[in-house]
Amino acid sequence: MMSRKLPEGGGGAGNWRAPSGWQTETPDAGDQAGDRAGDRDADRDADRPRPERRRREGGSRRHAPPARAASRGPFALSSENVRLAVFALLFTSIAFFGGSARADVNWLLPLRPICLFAIAVLVVLPLRERAHAMTVPAVLLAALALSIAVQLVPLPPEIWTSLPGRARFAEAAVVAGLDQPWRPVSLVPWLTWNSLFALLPALAVMTALWGIGPRHRDRVILGFLAFLGVSILLGIAQVAGALNGPPLHYRFFAQDSAIGFFANRNHAAAVLATGFPVLRLWSLTAPLGRAGARRRIFALVAALVLLVMIVVTGSRTGMLVGFAAFAASLAMAPLDELGAKLDPRKAWMVRVGVVAVPLLVVVLLVLFGKAVALDRIVDDDLLAEQRVMYLPLLLDLMRGFLPFGSGFGTFDPVYRSFEPDWAITTKYLNHAHNDLLELLMTGGVFALAVLAGFIVWIAVRLWKTRSDARAAEAISVRAGAIMAAALLGASLTDYPLRTPIAGAVLVLACWLIARPLYDMRTAARTRSPRSGGRR
């Protein structure tokens, strides 16, 4: 059975040419030889009389092995389908149980056993293809886990007392009249153990994505978009007051806020901002024809809804990160696929409308008093904001514990032991609301080295794919980089990546950065009835 040849031409939706970076699912050598033999038989059949072709086709159908045909079904029980199902259940569990970063939230208790069970199932499943490109993120995650585990190793008193920031805590043994005991780097070891176990959701998601091949990558993307859609629906119900209980188990954190699955509106807005590059990626990989046009229209409408919800959440950081992610997503690739079939004099109006309509919607939200994030920027005194007032104190704490840190997860008790009288109010800081400062204070230079390695890896991937703006690899890398940048940018004023949901989304971004998407347009053709349904 022969596949249609892609049309030659430009990059628009109406006249598209497969660029040089797009990757398709590669069959094995036997399948390639069979395809070549099938092509030769098809050429010979074209010269045969019609009755002889019927006999030949009938004989080939009678002798076709049914097991091979059944294995091509989308719901066939294979290791890859099982892996996809485990990933879907895992991500659903993370979404439902992993919306908070607090160590005392009971909803985290069932999540970690679920992640351990998922990892145990995934490691025994055979890999159809090995994701060697995910090696760097796996090494970085292992390095982060190692930097946490090292802080739990007990040290001799002579070494421990010489560490920066330990003088105040060493006095406790002197006052009690006891010899200095062996103690780890972490000042509160059980919180550091909790930080180590907090990596389980990210590890489970990485294990699941490690073996998901090109055939299921579009389903992973659709699943993530469905998660964002459900979160938006929950947020609308929260603002409307329609939900006042389960599954909103974080209701006491943010009353009447569109937080969705999260306990914090800043975290919810940051994750919603990652939807823009995914929608742009999904629209750029749309097939030709009406299905592709419908996908692009849906992506535009969904992006508009995302932008409105980010503004409604009331998160100032989320609004800034959201607008930046929206602009960066438009710049992922040229906009010439928008209005490609229209007259050139009218196509530019469509492209201008993509930018103008969201801005008009935000203006309308301001006029009707629904832009909570903008209202907070205008009404609040930013110089009196706790994040700004406490910054000098946090910088002193960071410098006092360098280069080894006070221990992952120890910010709250350590900060309270150094908190001055003027900072004691009815509000409290359970985190620094600047994860870069908190990472340096608690993790030291080793944790900073892991973060620097992660940023360098993203930069290298972007540099390697800079030449072809339309290649699938370039588009995938840019989408993942924008997702990671949105989460890291929001971490400068909050701590979204400490929630299991945002950590899982960051792993998904690494998956897009590490591995290019296959050519979904070509796959859509091969699944069409005209091409005989071959993959």
Side-chain angles (χ1 to χ4, degrees):
M1 196 69 71
M2 298 181 64
S3 300
R4 286 192 304 166
K5 185 178 180 182
L6 292 175
E8 298 291 331
N15 191 18
W16 187 84
R17 177 176 59 87
S20 59
W22 293 73
Q23 176 178 332
T24 59
E25 184 181 5
T26 305
D28 55 21
D31 288 342
Q32 291 176 347
D35 291 343
R36 289 194 294 268
D39 293 342
R40 290 194 297 269
D41 292 341
D43 293 337
R44 289 194 297 267
D45 285 346
D47 298 328
R48 285 195 173 106
R50 185 172 299 177
E52 185 177 351
R53 288 206 305 269
R54 288 201 192 100
R55 288 195 302 271
R56 182 178 176 85
E57 292 172 359
S60 62
R61 284 195 297 269
R62 284 193 300 270
H63 295 286
R68 184 178 178 87
S71 65
R72 295 185 181 274
F75 301 105
L77 187 61
S78 64
S79 62
E80 196 170 6
N81 288 334
V82 173
R83 184 177 296 273
L84 183 67
V86 172
F87 170 75
L89 294 175
L90 175 64
F91 202 92
T92 302
S93 302
I94 293 174
F96 191 78
F97 296 114
S100 175
R102 294 174 63 101
D104 57 350
V105 172
N106 293 332
W107 285 91
L108 292 176
L109 293 178
L111 177 59
R112 292 173 182 176
I114 290 174
C115 292
L116 285 173
F117 178 76
I119 293 173
V121 172
L122 291 167
V123 294
V124 299
L125 290 176
L127 288 176
R128 182 182 178 187
E129 57 177 54
R130 299 186 181 276
H132 296 296
M134 286 289 284
T135 302
V136 174
V139 169
L140 290 173
L141 183 62
L144 179 60
L146 180 62
S147 65
I148 299 174
V150 166
Q151 293 183 332
L152 296 169
V153 178
L155 299 175
E158 297 80 11
I159 298 178
W160 190 89
T161 54
S162 64
L163 297 178
R166 268 63 181 182
R168 172 179 296 191
F169 304 97
E171 294 176 358
V174 176
V175 172
L178 302 174
D179 294 335
Q180 293 289 345
W182 284 53
R183 285 176 280 194
V185 170
S186 174
L187 295 174
V188 190
W190 77 269
L191 287 174
T192 304
W193 276 108
N194 180 70
S195 298
L196 185 61
F197 287 120
L199 299 179
L200 282 175
L203 177 61
V205 173
M206 183 174 292
T207 306
L209 291 175
W210 191 283
I212 292 181
R215 194 161 56 99
H216 291 306
R217 289 177 190 167
D218 52 345
R219 295 171 186 167
V220 173
I221 291 175
L222 287 175
F224 176 69
L225 294 177
F227 155 73
L228 293 180
V230 175
S231 185
I232 289 174
L233 292 177
L234 284 177
I236 294 173
Q238 289 161 354
V239 173
L243 294 178
N244 191 21
L248 305 181
H249 33 269
Y250 313 117
R251 186 68 175 176
F252 58 89
F253 284 99
Q255 292 289 337
D256 301 325
S257 296
I259 55 176
F261 288 107
F262 290 86
N264 186 301
R265 57 188 170 195
N266 296 323
H267 305 167
V271 172
L272 287 179
T274 62
F276 294 119
V278 177
L279 284 170
R280 178 75 168 136
L281 169 67
W282 188 58
S283 65
L284 287 172
T285 54
L288 301 178
R290 292 183 179 179
R294 286 194 296 266
R295 182 187 291 191
R296 285 186 286 272
I297 293 174
F298 178 83
L300 288 175
V301 174
L304 183 61
V305 173
L306 275 179
L307 198 61
V308 171
M309 288 304 300
I310 289 174
V311 176
V312 173
T313 57
S315 171
R316 294 167 294 188
T317 300
M319 189 190 69
L320 296 176
V321 170
F323 273 100
F326 178 77
S329 300
L330 291 178
M332 278 172 51
L335 292 174
D336 54 1
E337 83 278 2
L338 298 175
K341 293 186 177 181
L342 298 177
D343 185 272
R345 292 171 296 180
K346 298 179 180 179
W348 69 272
M349 299 177 62
V350 177
R351 294 159 192 163
V352 172
V354 172
V355 180
V357 171
L359 295 178
L360 178 62
V361 171
V362 173
V363 172
L364 292 176
L365 288 173
V366 174
L367 294 177
F368 287 97
K370 299 299 182 181
V372 183
L374 287 175
D375 293 341
R376 294 183 66 216
I377 291 178
V378 174
D379 297 338
D380 292 355
D381 185 1
L382 296 181
L383 294 179
E385 175 70 32
Q386 278 187 314
R387 295 174 179 87
V388 179
M389 293 177 59
Y390 295 168
L391 186 59
L393 176 60
L394 297 178
L395 289 172
D396 290 340
L397 282 176
M398 179 196 69
R399 288 191 291 264
F401 285 99
L402 285 177
F404 303 105
S406 62
F408 278 87
T410 62
F411 174 84
D412 187 14
V414 171
Y415 169 77
R416 281 190 277 110
S417 66
F418 287 90
E419 187 177 21
D421 294 339
W422 61 266
I424 299 177
T425 64
T426 56
K427 296 182 178 180
Y428 65 95
L429 287 179
N430 59 336
H431 286 284
H433 290 273
N434 185 321
D435 251 2
L436 180 60
L437 287 178
E438 187 168 344
L439 188 69
L440 281 170
M441 171 188 161
T442 60
V445 295
F446 301 105
L448 181 64
V450 176
L451 176 62
F454 178 63
I455 295 175
V456 169
W457 174 68
I458 295 177
V460 170
R461 292 291 293 147
L462 287 171
W463 178 259
K464 288 183 177 180
T465 58
R466 71 190 185 281
S467 57
D468 190 352
R470 300 180 185 277
E473 184 175 7
I475 294 172
S476 178
V477 170
R478 289 166 189 169
I482 294 172
M483 293 175 68
L487 294 174
L488 292 176
S491 298
L492 294 177
T493 58
D494 219 282
Y495 46 95
L497 285 173
R498 295 183 182 272
T499 63
I501 297 178
V505 174
L506 183 64
V507 174
L508 179 62
C510 293
W511 180 65
L512 294 178
I513 296 171
R515 306 206 56 189
L517 290 177
Y518 77 120
D519 185 357
M520 294 183 185
R521 294 174 176 173
T522 303
R525 279 196 184 85
T526 58
R527 288 195 298 266
S528 65
R530 289 187 185 180
S531 60
R534 282 191 60 87
R535 284 200 62 85

